[in-house]
């Protein structure tokens, strides 16, 4: 298994870009925001265009699929990077599910809404039933866990995110 890539962004000088050339810098998004801003300013100060002053994010790496807007603040990018480092691909998928709202994704992980990973929602429903209800063996074969899981999703009790063949289940809350 390969090492995860540290999340980073390519910040481009817009004056140079608009003049048809490239001038930018890759920045480690796990650095503190002030350090990131200093790197951007140093890149802008070294610009070959005298009207330089604006920048945009033109590429990303190591964010495990989170789509980052070119105008996203470096503070937001930093929060996303730290969240991906802490929670990996499931965290990135959750941030995407939450429309890039890192605070909402954090809340879902930290407030007990994350119920775990299963091979299927039916496996989750079966595990939940076995933990909370004693079903006699002669009746167990009649329980439709797939239907129970579908109803939990349709009723809004849970939502799921699939990552690498695992179903990550969250309680709506």
């Amino acid at each position: 298994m390969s090492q995860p890539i540290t999340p980073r962004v390519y910040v481009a000088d817009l004056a140079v870009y608009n003049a048809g050339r490239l001038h930018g810098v890759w920045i480690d998004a796990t650095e503190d925001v002030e350090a990131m801003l200093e790197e951007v300013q140093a890149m802008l100060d070294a610009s070959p265009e005298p009207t330089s002053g604006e920048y945009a994010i033109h590429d990303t790496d190591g964010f495990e699929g989170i789509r980052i807007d070119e105008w996203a603040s470096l503070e937001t990018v930093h929060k996303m990077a730290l969240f991906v480092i802490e929670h990996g691909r499931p965290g990135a998928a959750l941030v995407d599910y939450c429309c890039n709202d890192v605070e909402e994704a954090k809340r879902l992980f930290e407030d007990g809404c994350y119920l775990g990973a299963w091979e299927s929602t039916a496996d989750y429903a079966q595990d939940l039933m076995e933990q909370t209800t004693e079903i006699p063996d002669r009746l167990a074969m009649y329980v439709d866990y797939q239907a129970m899981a579908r109803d939990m999703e349709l009723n809004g009790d849970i939502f799921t995110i699939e990552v690498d063949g695992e179903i990550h289940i969250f309680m709506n809350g």
Side-chain angles (χ1 to χ4, degrees):
M1 180 186 265
S2 63
Q3 279 293 92
I5 297 170
T6 299
R8 60 189 188 137
V9 291
Y10 181 78
V11 179
D13 180 332
L14 287 180
V16 175
Y17 180 77
N18 290 335
R21 297 176 310 214
L22 294 178
H23 177 73
V25 64
W26 280 100
I27 298 174
D28 179 342
T30 63
E31 294 180 355
D32 70 48
V33 177
E34 288 302 318
M36 292 170 67
L37 287 168
E38 287 173 11
E39 288 184 54
V40 169
Q41 191 58 54
M43 180 268 301
L44 292 173
D45 289 346
S47 177
E49 284 291 321
T51 60
S52 184
E54 290 185 283
Y55 66 90
I57 297 169
H58 281 188
D59 202 358
T60 64
D61 196 18
F63 281 88
E64 300 291 355
I66 295 176
R67 291 167 283 188
I68 297 176
D69 185 78
E70 69 180 333
W71 305 113
S73 73
L74 293 179
E75 182 178 347
T76 297
V77 168
H78 176 70
K79 287 179 183 179
M80 288 178 180
L82 295 181
F83 196 76
V84 167
I85 294 293
E86 183 177 354
H87 297 288
R89 292 195 60 198
L94 183 60
V95 168
D96 192 49
Y97 178 87
C98 293
C99 300
N100 285 1
D101 185 341
V102 178
E103 296 306 317
E104 176 64 6
K106 276 185 187 178
R107 184 190 69 75
L108 289 167
F109 264 117
E110 294 170 2
D111 285 357
C113 295
Y114 181 58
L115 301 172
W118 278 266
E119 288 186 27
S120 70
T121 53
D123 289 343
Y124 166 73
Q126 182 175 357
D127 188 51
L128 179 65
M129 285 296 294
E130 288 172 355
Q131 288 181 26
T132 59
T133 307
E134 189 170 324
I135 301 172
D137 289 340
R138 67 182 182 280
L139 298 178
M141 70 180 128
Y142 296 104
V143 178
D144 186 346
Y145 294 111
Q146 186 65 43
M148 288 176 65
R150 183 193 67 235
D151 286 351
M152 283 188 264
E153 283 189 272
L154 291 175
N155 290 337
D157 299 327
I158 62 170
F159 69 92
T160 62
I161 296 172
E162 185 173 349
V163 178
D164 298 328
E166 287 187 312
I167 307 295
H168 296 267
I169 301 179
F170 294 83
M171 180 173 44
N172 273 322

